[in-house]
Amino acid sequence: MTRIRSVDLALTALAPAIWGSSYIVATEGLPAGYPLTIACLRALPAGLLLLLLVRRLPTGIWWGRALVLGAFNFTFFWGLLFLAAFRLPGGLAATLGASQPLLVVLLAWPLLGTAIRPGAVGAAVLGMAGVGLLVLAPGLVVDGLGVVAALGGAVSMALGTVLTRKWGANVPPLTLTAWQMVAGGVLLVPAALLLEPAWPAPTVGQALSLGYLGLIGAAVTYVLWFRGLALLGPARASALAFLSPLSAVLLGWGLLDQRPGPIQGVGMFLVVAGVVWSQRAGDVPQPKVRAA
């Protein structure tokens, strides 16, 4: 692996590592019961800020593509993600969401013409098993709607990942992120207003939590994510998402004294092994694309 590839891999892996901190920020700093409102307040302000930076609007077919990608990557995914987080134990929600890399491998075949490589499938299954050991606990209470939401979120992100790779190769990551986040946030506005009660004025702590989730946990990380998706391909990039629950467990250990046990240690090993395997057995090499 060349030095440039190593840097690209590290920058892409930084995105899910930061996403792992979002679990703690959301559960410790924000009220339950407002999944769509939180998703909207996370996406729209950050997207508008990025749009001010790029100063470029979509043209032609990209108006429709931005709406589709924004819906899959942000509207549906984040809305369902927060719904699952508030209705399911975090471990179960994370495990169901960990099916996303496997779904990416399967969807890339009909949508991108990428062959289903046994190694990529094996790495995805290994990583998912590691997440299960990492976060699942006995005595889980399963909520049907929460399970549907978690699986729906995984499907939505998988579709968004593959379609972003298909359509976004010639659009700079910063611009691509801005368009999608604004579109996804706009689509969330009516859903939040119609389906959820009004959220009282946020406290200072809640405002800081939303600012972190929007600026660091969304704007910065998704620029890195879409850049890495273009350079690494969907199978390799999506497998790095296994680092999100790993990061959440490590941060919970360091910040909340949630000490992992031996089974979680095995899960950590499997997650890392799945990620390493995925980088060796991912996509067939693709032509270089612009990443600036």
Side-chain angles (χ1 to χ4, degrees):
M1 182 177 290
T2 65
R3 181 176 181 275
I4 294 178
R5 171 68 78 175
S6 298
V7 170
D8 293 334
L9 184 63
L11 288 174
T12 308
L14 184 60
I18 293 175
W19 292 339
S21 68
S22 299
Y23 293 104
I24 295 177
V25 173
T27 55
E28 298 294 322
L30 296 173
Y34 300 92
L36 298 176
T37 302
I38 292 173
C40 179
L41 293 176
R42 185 184 184 188
L44 190 54
L48 290 173
L49 177 61
L50 291 180
L51 195 61
L52 287 175
L53 293 176
V54 301
R55 296 181 180 274
R56 179 182 174 188
L57 293 174
T59 57
I61 196 174
W62 263 104
W63 285 103
R65 287 180 174 179
L67 283 172
V68 171
L69 294 177
F72 282 134
N73 282 321
F74 297 102
T75 306
F76 298 140
F77 173 55
W78 279 1
L80 293 170
L81 174 70
F82 284 115
L83 178 61
F86 288 130
R87 296 188 70 96
L88 292 175
L92 181 56
T95 301
L96 294 172
S99 62
Q100 178 258 333
L102 178 59
L103 293 171
V104 166
V105 173
L106 299 178
L107 289 170
W109 172 47
L111 294 177
L112 299 179
T114 302
I116 297 179
R117 301 168 66 85
V121 174
V125 172
L126 184 64
M128 188 175 177
V131 171
L133 293 176
L134 191 64
V135 297
L136 285 179
L140 291 175
V141 178
V142 178
D143 176 86
L145 180 58
V147 170
V148 172
L151 292 175
V155 172
S156 182
M157 185 178 182
L159 277 169
T161 297
V162 174
L163 290 176
T164 298
R165 171 67 178 186
K166 182 179 180 68
W167 292 336
N170 295 317
V171 180
L174 191 63
T175 303
L176 188 62
T177 306
W179 291 350
Q180 292 189 54
M181 292 187 76
V182 170
V186 168
L187 291 173
L188 279 163
V189 170
L193 292 176
L194 291 173
L195 299 177
E196 293 180 353
W199 190 2
T203 64
V204 173
Q206 291 173 352
L208 291 174
S209 296
L210 284 171
Y212 174 82
L213 289 176
L215 295 178
I216 305 300
V220 172
T221 56
Y222 271 89
V223 171
L224 295 175
W225 182 251
F226 291 140
R227 176 185 181 276
L229 180 59
L231 292 170
L232 303 179
R236 287 192 177 95
S238 64
L240 296 174
F242 290 132
L243 297 176
S244 180
L246 175 61
S247 170
V249 169
L250 292 176
L251 288 172
W253 182 10
L255 299 178
L256 304 178
D257 198 29
Q258 298 173 344
R259 188 178 301 274
I263 293 179
Q264 288 178 304
V266 175
M268 291 181 189
F269 174 79
L270 293 181
V271 166
V272 173
V275 170
V276 172
W277 187 7
S278 71
Q279 303 313 302
R280 298 179 178 275
D283 307 283
V284 177
Q286 300 289 335
K288 291 184 178 181
V289 295
R290 183 157 59 104

